[in-house]
Amino acid sequence: MPEKNRPKVVIFSQGDEVITGATIDTNAAYLADHCRTLGFDIIRHITVADELDDLVQVLKDIDALADICLCTGGLGPTQDDLTTQAYSKAFNTPLVFDDIAMTMMRGFFDKLNIDMPEVNRKQALLPENSTRIDNLWGTAAGFIGETNRCRFYCMPGVPYEMKNMMQTTVLDDLRACFKVQKPRLITLRTMGMGESAIQQEVDKLSLSDDIRVSFRAGLPENELKLIFPSHYVDDAVQRCIKEVQGVLGGSVFAIDGFGKAVKNLPDCVHQLMIEKQQTLSVIETISQGGIARQCDVGWLQQSMVSPRVSAILSRFGIDNADITESLAVEIATKEHEQNDSNITLVQLHHNDGDDVIAVVAVVSDTSHTSASKKLTGRLERKQINASAQALNLLRKHLIENDYATH
Amino acid sequence: MPEKNRPKVVIFSQGDEVITGATIDTNAAYLADHCRTLGFDIIRHITVADELDDLVQVLKDIDALADICLCTGGLGPTQDDLTTQAYSKAFNTPLVFDDIAMTMMRGFFDKLNIDMPEVNRKQALLPENSTRIDNLWGTAAGFIGETNRCRFYCMPGVPYEMKNMMQTTVLDDLRACFKVQKPRLITLRTMGMGESAIQQEVDKLSLSDDIRVSFRAGLPENELKLIFPSHYVDDAVQRCIKEVQGVLGGSVFAIDGFGKAVKNLPDCVHQLMIEKQQTLSVIETISQGGIARQCDVGWLQQSMVSPRVSAILSRFGIDNADITESLAVEIATKEHEQNDSNITLVQLHHNDGDDVIAVVAVVSDTSHTSASKKLTGRLERKQINASAQALNLLRKHLIENDYATH
């Protein structure tokens, strides 16, 4: 359950272009991410078309429902820009001409050597008693208005203008008006275990009711998120993490949010490669550059990409061979002898009906390891899983080997 | 005003990952685009977190508001997947075990050689009297349920699964259940005229009230959309378009939706280049590859990209010169003599305080044309406008010159 004292936020994106799907709503995700960081409870995203009656109704609904509304869109100079008018109608608030908004707008047009068109005048009309949010990046001033329950932050829909207004004015106002004890988000990043299987294991644990458990299935990683109320101390959080990690076993490749931030598997590998000061050469087939793309230019020395395995084999003077882990180790070893990298990774594959068996080998001066995996589904899925399999093996290799650091 | 007989649609995207901004809601835009094509009236997009009480309330609200609900998310096997349970509670509909959903799900796990985890069982529980939507691409069956007013289409949140279900089942059902006389959308694509100026010109016209006028400001194009009710005949639409085009003058570079589809300026240029069977060579500076990127491999032969103008000048043995239109024509002519293209385009620039003056020249065997433009604002804006200016000059050249076609 979300804590009772967390302010409730509605994110409101207006406009025909959003509601018809002509534009993907990236503003909502951006604003939501900030709200999450601030510890707010985001209860709705709503989008409405440029229809005055609908806008008025939705504004009233939001006022009854939320403490904060972050609203974007509808502040332009054209006839379908209706936010200010709708706000005025919804809350019986007269609109007042704001001289400073007007002056700033004139200045914007002056810089372009254009006479300010008369229609832009409406952008200087703001609700009485609202606080203007200056727009240094476009013509429409925004405003902060307090109605019955809800504090409305109305900003332009243009992402560049909105983000600047957030950074310059709105975030400070939110922090000043709404102090929150943030809940704590811990993400266990897993691979190789389906979300159903994870659910079943977690079910066996009977975690405390006030810990919110949430799943995010992805490709190739599945995330298990644990959200602890702010009053949980480090020890309690750590005990819980250990308990969950215990039932999920080797599928947890990183824990994000408890001391360390780890975004995903490539980030995990990157941090290890940097810490251990290793360099890497790659030969890859079915992943078709996917492994290289997820490496970092700081330690990836090269990747030979060849979608067909036969081209790799002939390069090493091998005509015909079963594609096995030991073949991958053999090729990786030969390649390793010829290059300057600390580690060499080779990924090969062969077909198995509609499926593919991917084999991967990781070789260093002192050790080697290998793995096989059956890849199913459409090609893109196979390719993503092939890259992940390779990176995961590299990760294990880095953890299990002792590299002297300088 | 939207026509009264158009079904009202709410698009409902569930899930913590969407509401927290961890995932951008691409499903909503995809579904909205289909609804627009079908002629439906999209009245809301709503997103809610994985909270049972909120879900129940929103489902009830939607039922009161809309004829159709396209709902994605919340059909997975984990504890935060609550759609079916919420639907059951909101509409007092018992859940019934669906044998076929179960059989298909077992089959899905069999292919992976995995025992189906018990927790997945809940995905085979569907509302009584609903119609199952088969999922051949994942484990969760969807369903179509009719409640009081609204027909609910509940699908998984995974885009790949949802899109396949739309294409295979849902679109057919929507077309069968909701026949609509589609309104007609005409888009006048303009460049070089601000949306305020467009609004002012349109205001002078007193268009009929039943024509919906809508603006979409973008960079570098501004769109003026006219939406005509389905009863308007071709002649009436054409007269109106001509009237509007008359007041907007040369800023309209394409009309999209009346006989022809033209997506944007690059598409307009592409159609002309294909029609007139021309090829192009480019030299570009401040656009930094932006012109080339918007051309088509079918007719762009090369683009020399050099962010610094001096490198271009020295290539043509010019040490120091004022960057003028005639210099651009001179360089384009010299380049044209050396290459095999039908048309050569050269874009240069020089600084003017914080601003940039971009000059562009287009040269063919028989004619040449050039233009200058002041570019303002941040670098990305300048670059986008520089590319647009170049393509627009090319467009004018193609229209004004008679090319024999075979």
Side-chain angles (χ1 to χ4, degrees):
Chain A
M1 285 296 159
E3 290 172 271
K4 290 197 194 319
N5 63 338
R6 293 168 65 206
K8 294 181 189 295
V9 181
V10 170
I11 292 172
F12 182 27
S13 306
Q14 282 192 61
D16 278 5
E17 71 277 13
V18 186
I19 210 166
T20 58
T23 300
I24 290 175
D25 193 358
T26 56
N27 286 345
Y30 170 85
L31 291 168
D33 189 56
H34 273 293
C35 288
R36 194 167 72 80
T37 305
L38 288 164
F40 299 161
D41 181 18
I42 309 155
I43 58 169
R44 300 275 191 284
H45 291 195
I46 302 178
T47 299
V48 169
D50 298 318
E51 291 284 345
L52 188 64
D53 292 343
D54 279 347
L55 279 165
V56 170
Q57 186 57 55
V58 170
L59 287 170
K60 288 179 177 173
D61 292 344
I62 292 172
D63 188 45
L65 202 59
D67 304 301
I68 298 167
C69 177
L70 300 178
C71 174
T72 58
L75 293 182
T78 54
Q79 69 198 60
D80 53 351
D81 291 302
L82 299 164
T83 297
T84 315
Q85 192 180 339
Y87 184 98
S88 170
K89 196 168 174 185
F91 304 116
N92 287 320
T93 307
L95 297 180
V96 169
F97 193 76
D98 187 306
D99 285 312
I100 296 179
M102 188 65 168
T103 305
M104 292 184 71
M105 208 166 29
R106 283 205 188 283
F108 197 83
F109 280 97
D110 284 348
K111 267 194 73 175
L112 301 173
N113 274 334
I114 301 172
D115 287 331
M116 191 188 89
E118 267 311 291
V119 293
N120 284 78
R121 233 186 121 77
K122 87 175 191 180
Q123 294 183 297
L125 288 168
L126 301 178
E128 191 170 57
N129 296 326
S130 67
T131 305
R132 189 187 57 256
I133 309 172
D134 287 333
N135 185 350
L136 306 166
W137 311 274
T139 55
F143 63 89
I144 304 172
E146 194 106 29
T147 57
N148 299 309
R149 168 181 178 174
C150 188
R151 192 166 173 80
F152 284 84
Y153 297 79
C154 294
M155 294 169 279
V158 179
Y160 176 72
E161 295 178 31
M162 180 274 290
K163 290 176 185 182
N164 272 297
M165 286 163 101
M166 284 290 287
Q167 296 290 345
T168 306
T169 307
V170 175
L171 285 171
D172 287 342
D173 189 280
L174 286 166
R175 285 184 200 111
C177 295
F178 300 94
K179 296 188 200 326
V180 181
Q181 292 287 78
K182 285 180 355 194
R184 200 156 175 183
L185 169 64
I186 307 292
T187 305
L188 281 80
R189 303 192 176 288
T190 78
M191 197 170 315
M193 198 170 180
E195 57 164 351
S196 320
I198 297 172
Q199 174 76 77
Q200 286 198 151
E201 294 303 315
V202 168
D203 276 348
K204 295 175 187 166
L205 287 175
S206 352
L207 296 173
S208 170
D209 268 352
D210 59 0
I211 301 172
R212 186 185 173 93
V213 179
S214 149
F215 297 76
R216 187 174 159 200
L219 182 68
E221 305 175 21
N222 285 335
E223 296 175 359
L224 173 65
K225 294 182 190 285
L226 303 171
I227 302 167
F228 299 86
S230 54
H231 62 80
Y232 267 65
V233 295
D234 272 10
D235 278 355
V237 172
Q238 186 153 44
R239 267 196 313 271
C240 179
I241 293 173
K242 279 200 164 356
E243 216 186 329
V244 175
Q245 205 173 354
V247 294
L248 299 185
S251 70
V252 178
F253 68 83
I255 296 180
D256 177 23
F258 194 76
K260 222 160 69 133
V262 183
K263 283 188 303 205
N264 49 32
L265 181 62
D267 184 39
C268 184
V269 168
H270 174 62
Q271 294 187 30
L272 287 165
M273 290 291 282
I274 294 292
E275 180 195 319
K276 295 170 191 280
Q277 297 185 340
Q278 299 291 291
T279 58
L280 178 72
S281 275
V282 175
I283 295 176
E284 55 179 310
T285 58
I286 190 173
S287 49
Q288 215 169 303
I291 297 172
R293 243 173 55 224
Q294 293 178 86
C295 293
D296 184 272
V297 291
W299 42 264
L300 176 73
Q301 296 193 313
Q302 65 188 9
S303 176
M304 185 188 328
V305 178
S306 170
R308 286 182 308 147
V309 176
S310 51
I312 302 291
L313 297 190
S314 45
R315 203 176 178 277
F316 290 89
I318 302 169
D319 262 336
N320 218 351
D322 287 340
I323 309 300
T324 60
E325 287 183 42
S326 48
L327 178 69
V329 172
E330 180 190 334
I331 289 177
T333 306
K334 284 180 173 166
E335 171 61 27
H336 192 68
E337 283 157 10
Q338 299 173 34
N339 68 38
D340 291 331
S341 302
N342 300 121
I343 303 171
T344 298
L345 183 154
V346 167
Q347 183 242 47
L348 308 172
H349 70 281
H350 66 91
N351 293 328
D352 180 27
D354 287 334
D355 301 332
V356 161
I357 309 296
V359 297
V360 92
V362 171
V363 157
S364 69
D365 291 343
T366 52
S367 74
H368 67 80
T369 179
S370 63
S372 305
K373 187 178 171 71
K374 183 180 209 179
L375 308 174
T376 65
R378 64 195 198 282
L379 178 62
E380 197 198 342
R381 186 185 184 89
K382 287 178 171 123
Q383 288 177 320
I384 290 170
N385 278 326
S387 300
Q389 176 207 24
L391 287 175
N392 206 22
L393 190 68
L394 176 58
R395 177 188 69 85
K396 289 175 187 169
H397 170 88
L398 289 165
I399 288 174
E400 287 157 18
N401 285 270
D402 190 24
Y403 290 105
T405 50
H406 310 284
Chain B
M1 284 295 161
E3 290 174 87
K4 289 199 192 319
N5 62 340
R6 294 169 63 207
K8 295 182 189 293
V9 181
V10 170
I11 293 171
F12 183 27
S13 307
Q14 283 192 59
D16 278 6
E17 71 277 13
V18 185
I19 211 167
T20 58
T23 300
I24 290 174
D25 193 359
T26 56
N27 286 344
Y30 170 85
L31 292 168
D33 189 56
H34 273 293
C35 289
R36 196 167 70 80
T37 305
L38 288 165
F40 299 161
D41 181 19
I42 308 154
I43 58 168
R44 299 274 191 284
H45 291 193
I46 303 178
T47 300
V48 168
D50 297 319
E51 291 284 344
L52 188 64
D53 293 342
D54 278 348
L55 280 165
V56 169
Q57 186 57 55
V58 170
L59 287 170
K60 288 177 175 174
D61 291 344
I62 292 172
D63 188 45
L65 202 58
D67 306 300
I68 298 166
C69 178
L70 300 178
C71 174
T72 58
L75 294 181
T78 52
Q79 69 198 60
D80 53 351
D81 291 303
L82 299 164
T83 297
T84 316
Q85 192 180 340
Y87 184 98
S88 170
K89 196 168 172 184
F91 305 116
N92 287 320
T93 309
L95 297 180
V96 169
F97 193 78
D98 187 306
D99 285 312
I100 295 179
M102 188 62 168
T103 304
M104 292 183 72
M105 205 165 31
R106 281 203 190 284
F108 197 85
F109 281 97
D110 285 347
K111 269 194 69 176
L112 301 172
N113 274 334
I114 300 173
D115 288 332
M116 189 188 91
E118 268 311 291
V119 293
N120 283 79
R121 230 184 124 76
K122 86 174 191 180
Q123 294 182 297
L125 287 169
L126 301 178
E128 190 171 59
N129 297 325
S130 66
T131 305
R132 188 187 60 255
I133 308 173
D134 288 332
N135 186 349
L136 306 166
W137 311 274
T139 55
F143 64 88
I144 304 173
E146 193 107 29
T147 55
N148 299 309
R149 167 180 178 175
C150 187
R151 191 166 175 81
F152 284 85
Y153 297 79
C154 295
M155 293 169 282
V158 178
Y160 176 71
E161 294 177 33
M162 179 273 290
K163 289 177 186 181
N164 272 297
M165 287 163 103
M166 284 290 287
Q167 296 291 345
T168 306
T169 307
V170 175
L171 285 171
D172 287 342
D173 189 281
L174 285 167
R175 286 185 199 111
C177 295
F178 300 95
K179 297 189 198 326
V180 180
Q181 293 287 76
K182 287 184 348 200
R184 203 158 175 178
L185 170 63
I186 307 292
T187 305
L188 282 80
R189 302 193 176 288
T190 78
M191 196 170 317
M193 197 169 179
E195 57 163 352
S196 321
I198 297 172
Q199 172 77 78
Q200 284 196 155
E201 294 303 316
V202 168
D203 276 347
K204 296 176 186 166
L205 288 176
S206 351
L207 296 175
S208 170
D209 268 352
D210 58 359
I211 301 172
R212 186 186 173 92
V213 180
S214 146
F215 296 77
R216 186 174 161 200
L219 183 66
E221 305 175 20
N222 284 335
E223 295 174 359
L224 173 65
K225 294 182 190 287
L226 303 171
I227 301 167
F228 298 86
S230 54
H231 62 80
Y232 268 64
V233 295
D234 273 9
D235 278 354
V237 173
Q238 186 154 42
R239 269 196 313 269
C240 179
I241 293 174
K242 278 196 163 0
E243 216 186 328
V244 176
Q245 203 173 355
V247 294
L248 299 186
S251 69
V252 178
F253 68 82
I255 297 181
D256 178 22
F258 194 73
K260 220 159 70 135
V262 183
K263 284 189 303 205
N264 48 32
L265 180 63
D267 185 40
C268 182
V269 169
H270 174 62
Q271 293 187 30
L272 287 164
M273 290 292 282
I274 292 294
E275 180 195 319
K276 295 170 190 281
Q277 298 186 339
Q278 299 291 291
T279 57
L280 178 72
S281 276
V282 174
I283 296 177
E284 53 179 311
T285 57
I286 190 173
S287 50
Q288 215 168 300
I291 297 171
R293 244 174 52 226
Q294 293 179 86
C295 294
D296 185 273
V297 291
W299 43 263
L300 175 73
Q301 295 192 314
Q302 64 187 11
S303 175
M304 184 189 328
V305 178
S306 169
R308 287 180 310 146
V309 175
S310 52
I312 301 292
L313 297 190
S314 47
R315 205 175 177 275
F316 289 90
I318 302 169
D319 260 337
N320 218 351
D322 287 339
I323 308 302
T324 60
E325 285 184 43
S326 49
L327 179 69
V329 171
E330 180 189 334
I331 288 177
T333 305
K334 284 182 173 162
E335 172 59 29
H336 193 68
E337 280 157 12
Q338 297 173 36
N339 68 38
D340 290 332
S341 302
N342 301 120
I343 303 172
T344 299
L345 183 153
V346 167
Q347 183 241 49
L348 308 173
H349 70 281
H350 66 91
N351 294 327
D352 179 28
D354 285 335
D355 300 332
V356 162
I357 309 295
V359 297
V360 92
V362 172
V363 158
S364 69
D365 291 344
T366 53
S367 74
H368 67 80
T369 180
S370 63
S372 305
K373 186 177 170 75
K374 184 181 210 177
L375 308 175
T376 64
R378 64 196 197 282
L379 179 62
E380 197 198 340
R381 186 185 185 89
K382 288 178 171 120
Q383 290 177 319
I384 290 170
N385 278 325
S387 300
Q389 176 206 25
L391 288 174
N392 206 21
L393 191 68
L394 176 59
R395 178 188 67 87
K396 291 176 185 169
H397 170 88
L398 290 164
I399 288 175
E400 286 156 19
N401 284 271
D402 190 25
Y403 290 106
T405 49
H406 309 284

